[in-house]
Amino acid sequence: MSSNILSPVSPVSSVPPVPSDNGVARSKVQRKSDTAIEVSNIAKCYTILHEERQTSFTQAALSKARNPFQRPEKEVFWALNGVSFEVNRGEVVGIIGRNGAGKSTLLKVLSRITEPTRGTAKLHGRVGSLLEVGTGFHPELTGRENVFLNGAVLGMNRQEIERQFDAIVDFSGTEKFLDTPVKRYSSGMYVRLAFAVAAHLNPEILIVDEVLAVGDGDFQRKCLGKMKDVASQGRTILFVSHAMASIQQLCSRCVYLEKGKVRADGPTAYVIEEYISSGAEGVAEAAWDDLQTAPGNEVVRLIGTRVVDCKGKVSAEHKLSDPITLEMEFVVTRPGILFSPVFHIYNSYHVCVFHTTNWTDPVWGEREYEPGTYRAQVTVPGEWLNEGGYSATPIITRDTNNVLIKLDECLSFNVNDDGAGRGSFAGPIIGVLRPALPWTVTPVRE
Amino acid sequence: MSLVTETTAVADAPSPPLPSRSAGSGAAAPEDRVTVIGPKSPWAIFDLREVWQYRDLLLALAERDTKLRYRQTALGPIWVLLQPLIASGVFAVVFGKIAKLSSGSIPYFLFAYVGALGWNAFQVTLNRSSGSLVSNAHLVAKVYFPRLILPLSTLLTALIDLGVSLGLLAILLLVNHIPFGTGLLLIPVWLLLFMTLGLGVGLITGSLMVTYRDIGQIQGVLIQFGQYATPVGFSVAQILERTSQKFAILFTINPLTYLIEGLRWSVFGNLSGGAPSPAGVAYAAAMSVLILFFGMALFGREERRFADVI
């Protein structure tokens, strides 16, 4: 496997190889076939009904009775469309792709939660899949009871859980609260205990969705560390994430999905490069003409959102030294409700660069709106973002805390270096931001 | 050889070897466990080996439901008894005292209690098994396990309730000086049939409920109705004497009629009503098995969509 040569430098790579017992481990891992996962031509089709989805039996019967001959307009959506790849035993493979590329569907198919429409996959070895942390946890049950329940949900049998119980409790650091219902846990404790169970699952193939997105920074590092441990024991890991930083740390190889197909597959560094550069097109505007189907609900709907340059033109390409304006237009249909427009900006490594809203605006911040159409704008100053690709998530919240509308990364744009602020330096300038900050140099006379 | 494996083996040299799940049977190598994913046959549901593999989950879910049912309740398990007791009390007053129906030489309350016991075996199984998918929607959407585990785990919780009710029955028989006959040995058979029927119907409505939640409402109404189209609070003979042929057919086609009569006969012998017709019992048993079979087939067909629509 040539790809592994390019694997990220792990902290132990400088240690000289120790023969004896890892030889054993290796031979164990390599018995017979070397393939752990074979995915061949997997496709998954969802049918979207273009009428209000009828979850009520009478409704369905009524509409059938009214228009007996009219078939509901169906749209077929291929979330996965012929995905094939193989993963060798012991490989740690990252699955990346933009929202809607089919990553989650692929994980669901490989975890057997949903069935593929076509194609097959073979998994050699015991599979553990973590699509979220703490599936099956019940708030009324105690920590101890939840460990057993969650363990069973993840596919461990009782003896296994009993054998691992102390290790799980130890890892979570919640021994004092074992007999307290988890509803009284802090969210940090809850997540730690939940992850601890999952971490002791000991499968031969581990399928992980972005579980690392939970918990504080410290805990995330612990999780990542645990995943590295697991990987180092020769287990096979399939890891889906938006966070390129974690992918780079963990995975030697990446599969890049786009529109339900494999767009690139190879060494991580190479695939991430491809991923980032392919984001180049940019989506500068999204608009909804029909108020009924626009995102939102009966009190507010988003009818448009766009990225505008300093000349007022909708554009996905911006110069580093020019200000960039993000805007959203929304229609309020019920009076007296407090709304806030919010934008989240992500860079191409899926690091959230900032969150911004108008809470401190003396006129429109945290106030109630009358029915009507509004345009909210925020301007990111020039010489502030570094060059690269960005995406923006428009959000409208109600009463400050409730997210009513959230369109994940529905806008994307590029910031292009125009030489601003770099003086005569020609190399790449690192940093998430590249702000023009006031510097002073004062000669100090001794 | 992959660099990753090499470096890691070094890093974790002291860590224990992979704890293999098959520790007991040592020889089972990881290669032996191959999971093949692909479009599945709806008939695969009749292969219960996988359900057996997941028996620990089945037990854990039943344990959870039982614990949750009584946690933070002041009376706890007494609720299990209260419900049939109240129902039997109401039947005794309405049918025994007001309508003056006969219950043979058995106190009406006790007569009705046995009816309610059988009815509950059916009704509790039906309600819990059909609701189990929707109430565990989160699990269905996030983890794999044979979906049949969910309705099956509710059988265990229903069995616990039944056990408590049977204990009370024994006390009631003693208090009323009713001899314990050998017929009592047949009680498990009747209860098994009640639960078979309940599970069969529950699998049907439960599968449909995933898409159409109002099946649950319809089921609730039908259960209300069914309690009176089944001789729960009265004997069939008494009703047939007093009603028209048209109404009687309701009792004749209802398999539960024969099961209730059978259960009463097992408990009371010939003190009340007497033995049900063998043909009727055969019909009820056949219907129960048939409906269970149909329920499983429907469940097997629908379960592939559960995670997508739930």
Side-chain angles (χ1 to χ4, degrees):
Chain A
M1 278 297 301
S2 62
S3 68
N4 288 316
I5 292 164
L6 284 170
S7 67
V9 181
S10 104
V12 281
S13 58
S14 56
V15 182
V18 177
S20 62
D21 44 5
N22 66 35
V24 177
R26 213 181 301 164
S27 68
K28 204 176 208 166
V29 164
Q30 278 203 324
R31 235 177 324 189
K32 273 190 213 161
S33 94
D34 234 13
T35 316
I37 306 175
E38 296 164 62
V39 178
S40 60
N41 208 18
I42 288 272
K44 172 79 186 178
C45 167
Y46 288 101
T47 322
I48 304 158
L49 289 184
H50 275 293
E51 52 182 344
E52 234 161 279
R53 201 174 143 243
Q54 279 142 356
T55 46
S56 124
F57 186 70
T58 43
Q59 245 179 35
L62 270 177
S63 79
K64 258 269 159 17
R66 274 197 216 110
N67 317 302
F69 302 112
Q70 188 203 332
R71 304 199 120 215
E73 255 179 69
K74 275 184 190 170
E75 190 187 317
V76 174
F77 169 67
W78 291 91
L80 293 174
N81 199 350
V83 171
S84 304
F85 59 90
E86 281 192 11
V87 179
N88 286 332
R89 224 174 268 291
E91 247 187 319
V92 181
V93 175
I95 309 274
I96 58 175
R98 302 204 152 67
N99 286 313
K103 302 182 303 272
S104 308
T105 311
L106 179 63
L107 282 205
K108 279 194 171 179
V109 167
L110 292 181
S111 329
R112 291 204 285 166
I113 291 164
T114 185
E115 216 173 73
T117 315
R118 277 202 321 257
T120 54
K122 272 189 192 166
L123 304 168
H124 301 264
R126 185 183 183 202
V127 184
S129 94
L130 292 177
L131 266 57
E132 72 179 353
V133 162
T135 312
F137 259 53
H138 197 288
E140 295 286 343
L141 297 178
T142 67
R144 184 190 308 277
E145 289 163 340
N146 269 309
V147 167
F148 280 95
L149 179 61
N150 186 229
V153 165
L154 294 176
M156 289 193 243
N157 61 34
R158 204 172 168 92
Q159 294 102 291
E160 255 178 299
I161 306 168
E162 269 159 13
R163 190 150 25 89
Q164 302 258 37
F165 189 80
D166 293 337
I168 291 172
V169 173
D170 221 41
F171 186 85
S172 70
T174 56
E175 44 287 77
K176 276 190 211 142
F177 306 96
L178 267 186
D179 295 306
T180 310
V182 296
K183 67 179 173 187
R184 307 206 197 288
Y185 279 31
S186 71
S187 57
M189 268 161 58
Y190 183 97
V191 169
R192 280 207 304 276
L193 184 63
F195 185 82
V197 182
H200 292 79
L201 184 56
N202 281 322
E204 287 143 82
I205 299 173
L206 184 63
I207 299 177
V208 194
D209 203 353
E210 295 189 87
V211 285
L212 299 181
V214 295
D216 51 27
D218 252 4
F219 183 69
Q220 288 194 18
R221 264 189 292 283
K222 201 171 173 183
C223 296
L224 212 56
K226 184 73 192 175
M227 297 247 300
K228 275 186 187 156
D229 278 0
V230 171
S232 69
Q233 289 157 23
R235 318 282 175 82
T236 313
I237 302 185
L238 217 53
F239 176 45
V240 162
S241 183
H242 269 110
M244 295 302 142
S246 325
I247 294 259
Q248 271 178 327
Q249 274 189 57
L250 209 62
C251 309
S252 54
R253 181 183 144 199
C254 256
V255 174
Y256 169 17
L257 291 182
E258 192 182 68
K259 293 180 185 142
K261 292 191 161 126
V262 176
R263 166 155 176 173
D265 179 356
T268 299
Y270 161 80
V271 176
I272 287 186
E273 187 58 44
E274 168 96 13
Y275 172 76
I276 289 169
S277 61
S278 70
E281 303 103 63
V283 181
E285 181 168 20
W288 293 266
D289 297 332
D290 183 4
L291 194 60
Q292 296 307 309
T293 56
N297 59 12
E298 63 288 347
V299 297
V300 63
R301 288 195 189 269
L302 186 69
I303 55 169
T305 178
R306 49 194 72 87
V307 193
V308 181
D309 68 12
C310 55
K311 297 185 198 87
K313 207 179 101 217
V314 174
S315 168
E317 300 299 322
H318 299 270
K319 283 187 198 156
L320 194 140
S321 55
D322 284 344
I324 301 164
T325 299
L326 299 166
E327 85 179 27
M328 61 173 104
E329 262 176 34
F330 54 95
V331 178
V332 174
T333 43
R334 198 172 294 171
I337 300 176
L338 188 156
F339 293 113
S340 308
V342 182
F343 272 109
H344 289 174
I345 308 297
Y346 292 88
N347 68 12
S348 53
Y349 280 71
H350 202 71
V351 171
C352 183
V353 183
F354 60 84
H355 157 284
T356 180
T357 180
N358 71 341
W359 291 331
T360 52
D361 178 346
V363 186
W364 290 96
E366 290 202 279
R367 58 164 277 175
E368 294 173 354
Y369 282 68
E370 289 309 307
T373 306
Y374 298 86
R375 176 180 299 152
Q377 289 185 315
V378 59
T379 300
V380 182
E383 286 194 65
W384 207 77
L385 293 171
N386 204 346
E387 67 172 320
Y390 292 87
S391 59
T393 300
I395 298 167
I396 292 178
T397 64
R398 176 180 178 163
D399 302 328
T400 308
N401 294 312
N402 305 322
V403 174
L404 288 186
I405 301 172
K406 181 166 188 267
L407 298 170
D408 284 317
E409 302 177 65
C410 95
L411 297 174
S412 55
F413 57 94
N414 295 301
V415 173
N416 302 303
D417 197 340
D418 58 352
R422 53 163 61 241
S424 59
F425 178 67
I429 295 180
I430 60 166
V432 174
L433 296 176
R434 194 161 134 190
L437 300 174
W439 274 79
T440 57
V441 176
T442 318
V444 181
R445 215 166 271 160
E446 287 300 309
Chain B
M1 189 56 226
S2 102
L3 184 66
V4 176
T5 322
E6 247 169 315
T7 50
T8 57
V10 175
D12 279 307
S15 82
L18 302 186
S20 60
R21 184 182 164 88
S22 42
S25 58
E31 286 85 354
D32 296 341
R33 193 192 296 273
V34 179
T35 315
V36 179
I37 296 167
K40 211 164 64 177
S41 149
W43 302 108
I45 192 166
F46 289 99
D47 179 5
L48 293 175
R49 271 175 302 183
E50 206 185 7
V51 169
W52 177 246
Q53 275 169 20
Y54 276 84
R55 61 192 179 276
D56 280 340
L57 175 61
L58 194 148
L59 292 173
L61 290 173
E63 192 183 332
R64 175 198 70 180
D65 290 344
T66 310
K67 275 180 180 155
L68 289 177
R69 183 156 297 127
Y70 303 118
R71 192 150 291 180
Q72 294 204 336
T73 57
L75 295 181
I78 295 176
W79 287 113
V80 176
L81 298 177
L82 230 47
Q83 204 203 344
L85 280 179
I86 291 170
S88 326
V90 170
F91 285 138
V93 172
V94 173
F95 295 115
K97 292 267 181 294
I98 301 174
K100 302 232 182 318
L101 297 184
S102 150
S103 58
S105 55
I106 305 294
Y108 209 98
F109 177 82
L110 187 53
F111 177 84
Y113 180 83
V114 174
L117 181 76
W119 172 255
N120 268 346
F122 166 75
Q123 183 259 118
V124 168
T125 310
L126 167 57
N127 269 332
R128 291 192 191 157
S129 60
S130 67
S132 61
L133 289 164
V134 172
S135 62
N136 289 293
H138 194 66
L139 289 185
V140 173
K142 291 289 182 186
V143 261
Y144 173 78
F145 51 87
R147 303 308 183 201
L148 200 56
I149 290 281
L150 290 173
L152 288 183
S153 79
T154 65
L155 290 185
L156 293 186
T157 69
L159 273 179
I160 293 174
D161 289 11
L162 269 180
V164 176
S165 304
L166 283 174
L168 184 64
L169 174 65
I171 296 170
L172 288 175
L173 288 179
L174 279 175
V175 170
N176 287 288
H177 306 292
I178 294 175
F180 284 42
T182 46
L184 290 178
L185 295 175
L186 274 178
I187 288 182
V189 178
W190 300 117
L191 294 183
L192 181 74
L193 287 172
F194 277 116
M195 291 179 81
T196 306
L197 192 57
L199 179 65
V201 181
L203 288 177
I204 297 170
T205 54
S207 306
L208 300 176
M209 218 186 287
V210 171
T211 324
Y212 300 114
R213 297 290 147 92
D214 32 11
I215 293 285
Q217 306 292 329
I218 298 173
Q219 179 178 303
V221 173
L222 288 183
I223 284 177
Q224 285 273 325
F225 171 75
Q227 195 165 8
Y228 297 97
T230 305
V232 179
F234 41 79
S235 75
V236 196
Q238 292 278 308
I239 282 295
L240 295 188
E241 272 171 29
R242 280 152 221 250
T243 53
S244 68
Q245 205 59 36
K246 260 187 219 152
F247 193 59
I249 196 145
L250 215 58
F251 291 92
T252 323
I253 59 165
N254 181 356
L256 287 165
T257 301
Y258 308 102
L259 299 182
I260 296 253
E261 295 286 303
L263 180 66
R264 282 214 184 98
W265 170 68
S266 292
V267 176
F268 302 126
N270 288 326
L271 296 174
S272 154
S277 77
V281 172
Y283 162 75
M287 281 299 276
S288 305
V289 173
L290 212 65
I291 290 174
L292 179 65
F293 188 83
F294 179 73
M296 280 186 67
L298 183 72
F299 192 92
R301 204 190 66 154
E302 295 290 307
E303 74 171 336
R304 298 173 296 160
R305 310 192 305 128
F306 288 166
D308 296 336
V309 293
I310 206 160

